[in-house]
Amino acid sequence: MGVGAKIVLGAIADDFTGATDLANNLVRGGMRCLQVIGVPSQEVDLNNIDAVVVALKSRSCPADEAVADSLAALEWLRQQGARQLCFKYCSTFDSTDQGNIGPVADALLEALGANQTVMVPAFPVNGRTVYQGHLFVGDRLLNDCGMQHHPLNPMQDADLVRVLSRQTPHPVGLANRAMLAQGADATRAHLSTLAEQGVRHVICDTLDEQDLDVLADATVLMPLVTGGSGLGQALPAQYRKQGWLETITQPGRLAPASGSALVLSGSCSRATLAQVADFLDKHPDGGFALDPLSLSEGDKQQEQALVFARERLSSNSPVLIYASADPDKVCAAQQALGVARAGALVEETMSQLAVALVNEGVGRLLVAGGETSGAVVSALGITTLRIGEQIDPGVPWTQAPLAGREAPLSLALKSGNFGGVDFFTRAFEVLA
């Protein structure tokens, strides 16, 4: 496959960590995968690449911006000859009553001339399941798992049919577990019947890996599928059945890693808070806390964080700089500064720290949080990521070429809710 050659899957992700999450599962399924940051303005070498994931920052922006960016990504992916398109959003269906999942899905369907798509947010291995159209995180409904306190997209309704119906004028249906249990042919027929009835979006129950396999089989010929990354682990096998994909050994092979290790954490999710606490327990002097209120007063705290990191990056242990805080502290900062400014202060600070410290020798960088990851990647000028092996479900190591550096930067972009409690330390052990 040469420059501009056809790819099998073209995906559009609404944030950077979500893009990496999907790409990770595609690699695990045997696809050589490249993640591009935004819609490329220059030619991209797709030699030996089977799937491309375009990472956008469109989850929480105004719906019209999300639609425009997604349509631009769609057009570029169609130019690369993608056989199937995928719209990737979070496994917790992060959105508001105005979008952006519904408006983007509608726009993509219209651009493709298609009349139906599926909604498969579930990722069972990470505890995201859907039953009777209701999304669970572990054993809790979505609106009772902590996501009801999300600073940008609080999720207060677990009924995805109801949630999506508030985002689109088109009918929303359900493919429930009883239907999936009858197999791919029955599920495909059910989807066809719903399409004849004018149902444009179908929420799909998913409790385990078998359900994902059924859905991948039933939807492999759909022009567009949508969902979390779970479906991405099941689709490659179907592509091989279609004769679109060869069996590939070591699809996630990367160059050897080098350089000091840094963690930048902007997420305030429960999982990330536990990871910060675990890291600080193991490395009591290895973490520096950022506070939006202090950041709003000038550059002093950012300069302190730089000094802190420089003094410790010569050691073998990773250094952690974090703005992760419990909901009460986040709420206090948002009330004092406004939601947008509080978030922007953290993102800008993390970005500047990343640029300074990577230029000074950090070669292994882990970033926690979708918004933080997007800001850091943009500040570093990264345009492509080659996807490597998995650290934890949904999070692989990647590598990015940087101007002026002989070795690529090893980079892990972690969605806030993903990863085991020891993720911030174990990730570097996996890379080694």
Side-chain angles (χ1 to χ4, degrees):
M1 188 183 294
V3 176
K6 288 186 177 181
I7 56 175
V8 178
L9 178 68
I12 302 162
D14 66 359
D15 83 341
F16 287 42
T17 57
T20 309
D21 175 15
L22 173 61
N24 172 64
N25 273 349
L26 295 173
V27 169
R28 293 179 67 237
M31 300 184 80
R32 296 162 296 186
C33 191
L34 187 72
Q35 178 176 330
V36 297
I37 310 304
V39 180
S41 57
Q42 299 178 336
E43 194 170 58
V44 176
D45 185 356
L46 299 181
N47 186 50
N48 297 320
I49 296 297
D50 308 298
V52 176
V53 183
V54 179
L56 302 178
K57 198 174 181 184
S58 59
R59 179 171 301 171
S60 304
C61 69
D64 58 346
E65 292 181 21
V67 166
D69 291 347
S70 300
L71 288 175
L74 173 66
E75 178 59 27
W76 184 83
L77 288 167
R78 293 177 79 179
Q79 291 173 5
Q80 313 314 311
R83 291 178 178 267
Q84 187 173 47
L85 281 301
C86 174
F87 169 36
K88 161 62 173 77
Y89 40 80
C90 188
S91 60
T92 48
F93 217 73
D94 292 16
S95 53
T96 67
D97 286 351
Q98 291 73 44
N100 292 341
I101 294 174
V104 169
D106 280 332
L108 295 176
L109 283 170
E110 290 167 10
L112 289 166
N115 64 354
Q116 186 186 72
T117 189
V118 290
M119 301 274 170
V120 190
F123 192 5
V125 71
N126 256 6
R128 276 64 165 171
T129 56
V130 179
Y131 183 68
Q132 296 298 343
H134 288 69
L135 179 56
F136 288 80
V137 177
D139 62 353
R140 313 300 294 180
L141 283 165
L142 175 65
N143 56 297
D144 192 32
C145 72
M147 282 300 298
Q148 69 270 32
H149 302 304
H150 192 284
L152 297 177
N153 300 322
M155 298 303 295
Q156 298 172 344
D157 190 352
D159 185 335
L160 299 190
V161 174
R162 193 162 55 206
V163 170
L164 192 61
S165 293
R166 294 194 291 264
Q167 298 183 22
T168 174
H170 301 283
V172 179
L174 175 67
N176 65 23
R177 185 65 179 341
M179 175 55 62
L180 268 63
Q182 297 178 42
D185 290 341
T187 301
R188 192 179 299 110
H190 176 65
L191 294 173
S192 180
T193 298
L194 290 176
E196 292 170 1
Q197 297 170 356
V199 175
R200 196 172 202 185
H201 306 284
V202 184
I203 302 293
C204 298
D205 278 5
T206 317
L207 294 184
D208 54 30
E209 311 300 311
Q210 287 184 318
D211 290 342
L212 289 173
D213 291 340
V214 168
L215 287 168
D217 190 345
T219 63
V220 65
L221 298 180
M222 272 189 168
L224 173 72
V225 293
T226 86
S229 65
L231 194 60
Q233 73 185 39
L235 282 170
Q238 297 303 320
Y239 297 151
R240 281 189 283 273
K241 286 185 180 180
Q242 296 292 328
W244 300 348
L245 182 67
E246 300 174 355
T247 299
I248 299 157
T249 59
Q250 294 186 304
R253 186 175 183 178
L254 299 177
S258 62
S260 53
L262 174 67
V263 181
L264 297 175
S265 179
S267 170
C268 296
S269 71
R270 288 181 179 178
T272 300
L273 292 176
Q275 290 157 357
V276 169
D278 179 78
F279 181 95
L280 295 175
D281 182 60
K282 294 173 179 174
H283 307 283
D285 299 322
F288 185 95
L290 297 173
D291 173 40
L293 294 173
S294 297
L295 295 174
S296 70
E297 297 173 355
D299 297 334
K300 182 177 179 180
Q301 191 175 59
Q302 179 177 321
E303 293 170 357
Q304 291 172 335
L306 269 175
V307 171
F308 175 89
R310 287 167 175 156
E311 290 175 347
R312 290 162 175 79
L313 282 173
S314 59
S315 68
N316 293 325
S317 298
V319 172
L320 168 65
I321 299 175
Y322 63 102
S324 307
D326 63 46
D328 289 341
K329 290 184 179 179
V330 172
C331 185
Q334 290 178 339
Q335 288 178 347
L337 302 171
V339 174
R341 187 172 180 227
L345 282 167
V346 170
E347 291 175 25
E348 179 64 20
T349 301
M350 291 291 192
S351 299
Q352 293 179 13
L353 290 171
V355 171
L357 294 171
V358 167
N359 285 339
E360 294 176 16
V362 167
R364 297 169 291 155
L365 176 62
L366 192 163
V367 188
E371 299 298 322
T372 307
S373 293
V376 167
V377 166
S378 296
L380 288 169
I382 292 171
T383 58
T384 61
L385 293 170
R386 184 66 187 252
I387 308 301
E389 298 297 333
Q390 175 175 278
I391 306 167
D392 265 351
V395 195
W397 277 108
T398 74
Q399 284 187 338
L402 291 180
R405 288 178 62 108
E406 183 174 339
L409 174 67
S410 295
L411 181 65
L413 305 175
K414 187 192 84 72
S415 176
N417 286 299
F418 283 8
V421 70
D422 61 345
F423 186 89
F424 286 172
T425 52
R426 187 168 44 79
F428 297 101
E429 297 168 1
V430 169
L431 186 62

